[in-house]
Amino acid sequence: MDTNKLTALGAIRLFEGLPAPQLNSLAEIAQLRGCKAGETLFESGQPGTHFFAVVTGKVRVFRASLSGKEQILSVFTAGESFAEVPVFEGKTYPASAQALEDSQLLTIPRRGFVELLRREPELALGVMALLSSRLRLFVGQIAQLSLKEVPERLAGYLLLLRAAQGRDELTLDLPKGQIASYLGTIPETLSRAIKKLTDQGLIEVAGSRVRVLDAEGLAALAEADR
Amino acid sequence: MDTNKLTALGAIRLFEGLPAPQLNSLAEIAQLRGCKAGETLFESGQPGTHFFAVVTGKVRVFRASLSGKEQILSVFTAGESFAEVPVFEGKTYPASAQALEDSQLLTIPRRGFVELLRREPELALGVMALLSSRLRLFVGQIAQLSLKEVPERLAGYLLLLRAAQGRDELTLDLPKGQIASYLGTIPETLSRAIKKLTDQGLIEVAGSRVRVLDAEGLAALAEADR
DNA sequence: GCCGGTCCTTGACTTTAGTCATGGAACGCC
DNA sequence: GGCGTTCCATGACTAAAGTCAAGGACCGGC
């Protein structure tokens, strides 16, 4: 039995609390693999035979248009799993995935996992909770794209980061171009939005470090309409 | 035992194939209720204690901004269930819901349903498939909003309708203002987009009836970038 | 410490879509 | 059958964000 694989599996949040025998049977079907920054894991429209979990590194999931514009849907880091959708539908991946850094990944095949779910209701409930939380995020993303302008979306993003990092000195977790793609815009427009927030005295920016000067003001802006 | 309730439950796709005893225990916890067109079922942010299924009628799920602009996320009709997200997260509804017509609804409380899921792995798999298909739809919606312009989104919507209705003579299932809200725009802009497709000879429109003249052309547009 | 690359910013311009205002068509109601 | 209401279409205008082009900052490799 591969203890590397077992410890990797144990560090995935979705598998937390899974009893040892089930973790072992997961280890029998899961594969551990490395991949390099920039490597494509799968593309939108390909048949989805496996889902993934990040052991180390960072992966982005996105949709691209023919002209090369891209919309990032999520970015996943250590402990998170992704691409579960085709597991339960038996169809294609709805989006593409690419490693942003050199990463270690677990790949888990559809078939065996569904079998395990049949026997493990608590794991199944965990999966439902995970899918639900992702739906909640997407609902928010749709609302932001349709209802808010770029500076407001940026304000919301910074507030989320602040909540995650627990202080006013933020370190951007992605290059700005990728943040633009996540916010549904392009680097030029993001630059101008950053400038706008800076001019309003809400933030200070130096490279990938951001200081939140006025969290209240950011929140007001993020909620604002017009 | 209320046979109305039982037949209503049996007509919900999520509960198809559920053995009689489980259907009965669902009937014990589910409530059947009517509601009038325009009635609000719940609002974004309220604690989510129940989920819903449509027996007859039509319900829209949407997010509103403070200024009154609205983005429709989905419209549900007979046989469909919605608002499952808080069931598995135990938190708030991520969006609001309102009846578009006089409707009959089933409401199913969180607690009992989770218990049932623990005992019924096949139902649990059905729930996961449902959540997954919804994630797939949302991924598509995010990509459309961010990557495509209004006429292209409209073309995609019409093609979906055509696939659903199985012919080139379409009947719009929603008033145009609601379609605008679903496409992430406003009625004026939708009007102009319709005119554009008409001028290009792709469709003919008379009130809520649309004839697709050039499905290929629509598809090319829907895929297009620029 | 210089070179080459990537990433980011800025400016001028164009395009898209939203805003405001108006008028017309369809529908239900007395 | 008029009357009001709601919904839809159109025009003129404004605002937001994308495009194109250029240049600067930063980083890693040698």
Side-chain angles (χ1 to χ4, degrees):
Chain A
M1 182 61 39
D2 186 338
T3 63
N4 263 353
K5 216 192 274 183
L6 268 179
T7 52
L9 281 166
I12 305 303
R13 274 200 275 290
L14 183 57
F15 306 136
E16 249 172 34
L18 205 58
Q22 279 72 21
L23 212 55
N24 279 323
S25 61
L26 253 187
E28 279 167 28
I29 60 173
Q31 298 290 331
L32 192 56
R33 60 170 278 208
C35 70
K36 280 175 301 190
E39 196 174 326
T40 294
L41 304 175
F42 54 80
E43 300 216 34
S44 171
Q46 289 178 350
T49 53
H50 296 69
F51 78 101
F52 293 74
V54 182
V55 183
T56 63
K58 195 172 284 183
V59 171
R60 71 177 182 137
V61 172
F62 64 100
R63 283 272 291 248
S65 75
L66 299 176
S67 64
K69 208 182 153 194
E70 293 174 350
Q71 169 68 45
I72 292 183
L73 295 156
S74 321
V75 174
F76 296 100
T77 58
E80 299 181 303
S81 48
F82 63 97
E84 299 91 351
V85 164
V87 170
F88 306 107
E89 286 189 304
K91 296 202 267 190
T92 60
Y93 294 112
S96 309
Q98 182 190 35
L100 285 171
E101 307 172 350
D102 295 349
S103 304
Q104 271 214 311
L105 303 176
L106 285 159
T107 63
I108 296 136
R110 185 170 183 275
R111 303 205 134 234
F113 190 64
V114 170
E115 284 315 308
L116 182 59
L117 284 177
R118 259 188 246 276
R119 302 192 307 267
E120 282 295 316
E122 290 308 319
L123 178 58
L125 284 172
V127 168
M128 291 183 253
L130 179 68
L131 295 175
S132 295
S133 71
R134 208 151 291 165
L135 276 168
R136 181 182 296 273
L137 287 176
F138 282 172
V139 165
Q141 214 167 340
I142 290 171
Q144 292 249 330
L145 283 173
S146 158
L147 268 21
K148 305 212 171 146
E149 299 173 354
V150 173
E152 305 168 3
R153 289 181 230 160
L154 173 59
Y157 179 75
L158 291 176
L159 287 173
L160 278 186
L161 264 193
R162 190 175 89 115
Q165 300 186 8
R167 60 169 178 286
D168 285 339
E169 323 286 325
L170 312 180
T171 305
L172 297 182
D173 51 348
L174 294 172
K176 285 181 190 157
Q178 298 297 308
I179 293 178
S181 173
Y182 178 74
L183 295 178
T185 186
I186 55 175
E188 291 96 320
T189 300
L190 176 61
S191 254
R192 290 175 237 254
I194 290 174
K195 200 171 170 211
K196 192 169 174 186
L197 300 196
T198 305
D199 289 350
Q200 293 181 8
L202 299 173
I203 58 174
E204 262 176 21
V205 180
S208 70
R209 325 212 101 244
V210 176
R211 172 192 298 252
V212 174
L213 298 176
D214 181 358
E216 296 258 321
L218 276 187
L221 184 60
E223 297 305 312
D225 281 327
R226 190 119 335 253
Chain B
M1 182 61 42
D2 186 336
T3 64
N4 263 354
K5 216 192 273 182
L6 269 180
T7 53
L9 280 166
I12 305 303
R13 275 201 272 293
L14 184 58
F15 304 137
E16 250 173 33
L18 206 59
Q22 278 74 20
L23 212 54
N24 279 325
S25 63
L26 252 187
E28 278 167 29
I29 59 174
Q31 298 289 334
L32 191 57
R33 63 170 274 209
C35 71
K36 281 175 299 188
E39 195 174 326
T40 294
L41 303 175
F42 54 79
E43 300 217 32
S44 169
Q46 288 179 349
T49 54
H50 295 70
F51 78 101
F52 293 75
V54 183
V55 182
T56 63
K58 195 174 282 183
V59 172
R60 70 176 184 139
V61 172
F62 64 99
R63 283 270 290 247
S65 74
L66 298 177
S67 64
K69 208 182 153 194
E70 293 175 349
Q71 169 68 43
I72 293 185
L73 296 156
S74 322
V75 174
F76 296 100
T77 58
E80 299 181 303
S81 48
F82 62 97
E84 298 92 349
V85 163
V87 170
F88 307 107
E89 286 190 304
K91 297 200 266 190
T92 60
Y93 294 112
S96 309
Q98 182 189 35
L100 285 171
E101 308 172 352
D102 295 349
S103 305
Q104 270 214 310
L105 303 175
L106 284 159
T107 63
I108 297 135
R110 186 171 183 273
R111 302 204 136 236
F113 189 66
V114 170
E115 283 315 309
L116 183 57
L117 283 175
R118 260 186 246 275
R119 301 192 308 267
E120 284 295 314
E122 291 308 319
L123 178 59
L125 284 172
V127 168
M128 291 183 250
L130 180 70
L131 296 174
S132 294
S133 70
R134 207 150 291 165
L135 277 168
R136 181 183 295 274
L137 287 176
F138 283 173
V139 166
Q141 214 168 339
I142 290 172
Q144 293 250 330
L145 283 172
S146 158
L147 265 23
K148 303 210 173 150
E149 298 174 353
V150 173
E152 306 168 1
R153 289 181 231 160
L154 172 59
Y157 179 75
L158 292 175
L159 287 173
L160 278 186
L161 262 194
R162 190 175 89 113
Q165 300 186 9
R167 61 170 180 286
D168 285 338
E169 323 287 324
L170 311 179
T171 304
L172 298 181
D173 50 347
L174 293 172
K176 287 182 189 156
Q178 297 298 308
I179 293 179
S181 173
Y182 178 75
L183 295 178
T185 185
I186 56 174
E188 292 95 319
T189 300
L190 176 60
S191 255
R192 290 173 236 249
I194 291 175
K195 199 171 173 213
K196 193 169 174 187
L197 300 196
T198 304
D199 289 350
Q200 294 181 7
L202 299 173
I203 58 173
E204 262 175 24
V205 180
S208 70
R209 326 210 100 245
V210 177
R211 173 193 296 253
V212 175
L213 298 176
D214 181 358
E216 296 258 320
L218 276 187
L221 185 61
E223 297 304 313
D225 281 328
R226 190 128 334 261

